[in-house]
Amino acid sequence: MKSKKALIFGITGQDGSYLAEFLLKKNYVIHGVKRRSSSANTERIDHIFDSINFKSKNFFIHYGDITDSSSTLGLINKIKPDEIYNLAAQSHVRVSFDIPEYTANSTALGSLRILEAIKNLNLSDTKYYQASSSEMFGKQTKGKSQNEKTPFHPMSIYGVSKVFSYHTTIYYREAFGIFACNGILFNHESPRRGPTFVTKKIVQALVRIKLKKQLTLSLGNLYAVRDWGHAKDYVESMWKILQYKKPDDWVIATNEEMTVKEFINICAKKLDIKLIWKNKGIKEIGIDKNTNKIIIKIDKKYFRPGEVDYLKGNYYKAKKLLKWSPKYKSNDLINDMIKYELDLHE
Ligand code: NAP
Ligand code: F7E
């Protein structure tokens, strides 16, 4: 059978790298888009180049940028993919407060550029996956999980941009018959998570503190609740979403909830750090009982002008219709992330 062609925007990111590995195992030909940067940005996919049999001609990287319509259209025209995964975005919520216009240009308008290209090139057989986000839910009632019917109330330009892309995806589906789908993914992490996202920042710092290579970890809001899954599970859902009999929108989550502080406590326990918490608010500190040193501090620069306090996803629809469920529990995720960091220091 002829291999399918997938075009991945954002292949150098956490999800892009796992998705490429997943699709290669399914015998896809992968085309990935990387943007030009002054230093290497292919760390997460270099091992694919190293391990691949180039004669099989199944892995290609192209320069491009989701803020550039002509290169986006040119690549789609040249490759004529069976499936397009739009994972490219300025994906950091905190950073979107500092660079709102660029965030909207990439995270909102990027989807429009791809969908316009599919439409104008008459690629009626090309399927489109949009990396939508639980950040679209934004302000929610504590204790109530979110599903596909929950109204959006974004709290950042990142969230607003993702809402734009979500509706644009549905609009192109309904108006032009494109097989365009939204995966509304809740937070998902892994050893390949970017170092400024909170889980990676915590694991990396606590391992270094344990090994006496770092003194303190500074954080913002410890009381935000997130539903953290493993990126490896979540990229499988992206593929399943595009194989379903009709285009649709899907919540992908674990339905487990945890505060940032609980995440820290679990990591500390696994690393045998006896953590004691003192004080409240901006003065809150975490002390290592063994050394009596302050190892966790609060820094107000990590607080956000608009915070999302409570996210917990109900993935009932994906479980029932896509037969997708997360294989990794939060405990497995944390073990995987800690092991990776410890191995780096061996
Ligand atoms: P990530 O690690 O930050 O990766 C983002 C990717 O987008 C990187 O490859 C990045 O390239 C690329 N990119 C950024 N700006 C671009 C531009 N202007 N043109 C082309 N490529 C650009 O994010 P991730 O965690 O893998 O997430 C993948 C997607 O899912 C993102 O759209 C994110 O917003 C969304 N999402 C993520 C989560 C999550 O919890 N991880 C949850 C819901 C939705 P560089 O490597 O050069 O920076
Ligand atoms: O923050 C709090 C912070 O930056 C999680 C992206 O993948 O998931 C991600 O967005 C929580 C927030 O992820 C620090 O205030 C405390 O409440 O790891 P994060 P995020 O903002 O939830 C969604 C689904 C996406 O779509 C995004 O692309 O942790 N927090 N202290 C901190 N967060 C960070 N980054 N750094 C701190 O020091």
Side-chain angles (χ1 to χ4, degrees):
M1 210 174 77
K2 206 167 155 262
S3 298
K4 280 190 188 171
K5 275 185 284 184
L7 174 58
I8 305 176
F9 288 90
I11 196 160
T12 56
Q14 171 188 254
D15 291 6
S17 64
Y18 284 120
L19 180 65
E21 286 172 1
F22 178 84
L23 293 178
L24 281 170
K25 284 197 194 125
K26 295 220 167 274
N27 203 30
Y28 277 63
V29 174
I30 308 290
H31 292 266
V33 181
K34 81 162 194 156
R35 49 183 187 157
R36 196 268 158 186
S37 64
S38 65
S39 54
N41 62 353
T42 54
E43 202 186 27
R44 295 183 178 106
I45 51 170
D46 284 341
H47 65 285
I48 303 181
F49 281 112
D50 291 346
S51 64
I52 215 162
N53 169 9
F54 275 99
K55 282 190 193 123
S56 65
K57 298 250 184 296
N58 55 2
F59 191 69
F60 302 89
I61 295 296
H62 310 265
Y63 277 111
D65 196 300
I66 203 72
T67 62
D68 178 351
S69 306
S70 66
S71 71
T72 302
L73 182 117
L75 281 173
I76 294 173
N77 189 29
K78 190 165 88 178
I79 296 160
K80 298 199 170 49
D82 298 290
E83 297 172 8
I84 297 178
Y85 295 87
N86 178 23
L87 313 181
Q90 190 303 90
S91 71
H92 204 284
V93 177
R94 175 67 192 83
V95 173
S96 78
F97 294 101
D98 299 332
I99 47 168
E101 190 177 326
Y102 176 73
T103 301
N105 193 4
S106 52
T107 309
L109 296 182
S111 59
L112 179 64
R113 292 183 181 103
I114 298 173
L115 286 159
E116 263 295 287
I118 298 173
K119 183 193 87 177
N120 291 335
L121 294 166
N122 290 317
L123 298 178
S124 52
D125 292 332
T126 298
K127 297 179 175 180
Y128 174 79
Y129 173 87
Q130 170 58 28
S132 286
S133 164
S134 53
E135 276 295 305
M136 300 187 305
F137 294 120
K139 197 179 203 169
Q140 294 291 324
T141 314
K142 271 207 165 165
K144 254 185 100 181
S145 61
Q146 299 88 36
N147 66 16
E148 291 80 1
K149 296 199 169 85
T150 306
F152 300 140
H153 189 142
M155 295 297 285
S156 63
I157 284 297
Y158 172 81
V160 171
S161 299
K162 285 290 184 188
V163 171
F164 174 90
S165 283
Y166 169 88
H167 285 300
T168 301
T169 301
I170 295 175
Y171 167 67
Y172 276 74
R173 177 165 87 212
E174 293 179 350
F176 306 111
I178 295 173
F179 195 109
C181 310
N182 284 292
I184 308 173
L185 273 52
F186 281 62
N187 297 52
H188 46 281
E189 319 295 308
S190 73
R192 293 186 199 164
R193 187 59 144 151
T196 59
F197 294 96
V198 81
T199 57
K200 180 74 168 183
K201 187 173 163 182
I202 292 166
V203 173
Q204 212 168 46
L206 289 182
V207 165
R208 285 182 185 156
I209 288 168
K210 176 76 189 172
L211 299 175
K212 300 194 168 41
K213 292 183 176 175
Q214 183 172 333
L215 294 175
T216 54
L217 163 65
S218 294
L219 291 165
N221 178 12
L222 301 181
Y223 297 94
V225 174
R226 289 291 181 276
D227 173 336
W228 278 298
H230 198 301
K232 274 191 180 174
D233 279 338
Y234 286 40
V235 298
E236 184 189 7
S237 77
M238 297 175 186
W239 176 76
K240 285 198 159 194
I241 286 169
L242 291 195
Q243 312 315 308
Y244 192 62
K245 61 186 177 212
K246 64 179 181 69
D248 206 343
D249 312 308
W250 309 85
V251 160
I252 300 297
T254 70
N255 202 237
E256 276 188 83
E257 64 173 81
M258 197 184 286
T259 62
V260 173
K261 192 171 176 178
E262 282 164 343
F263 187 93
I264 299 170
N265 286 335
I266 294 171
C267 293
K269 199 163 174 213
K270 284 182 188 290
L271 288 164
D272 208 19
I273 298 172
K274 292 193 176 56
L275 198 55
I276 300 169
W277 292 97
K278 282 196 176 154
N279 309 334
K280 289 233 168 352
I282 200 85
K283 295 206 169 111
E284 186 157 13
I285 47 173
I287 298 169
D288 181 345
K289 202 181 164 198
N290 292 331
T291 60
N292 214 22
K293 290 199 168 123
I294 298 173
I295 58 166
I296 298 176
K297 290 179 184 166
I298 304 300
D299 187 328
K300 60 177 187 308
K301 81 171 176 221
Y302 296 114
F303 284 86
R304 298 167 182 196
E307 176 63 289
V308 172
D309 292 315
Y310 184 85
L311 289 176
K312 180 180 175 182
N314 175 346
Y315 64 96
Y316 175 77
K317 178 176 163 185
K319 186 176 177 185
K320 187 166 168 234
L321 301 178
L322 297 179
K323 313 279 177 245
W324 179 90
S325 287
K327 296 179 190 86
Y328 284 81
K329 296 271 165 213
S330 55
N331 190 49
D332 309 316
L333 167 70
I334 295 171
N335 285 343
D336 197 21
M337 292 181 77
I338 290 181
K339 181 178 180 320
Y340 176 85
E341 292 306 323
L342 285 171
D343 288 351
L344 282 183
H345 294 279
E346 270 198 345

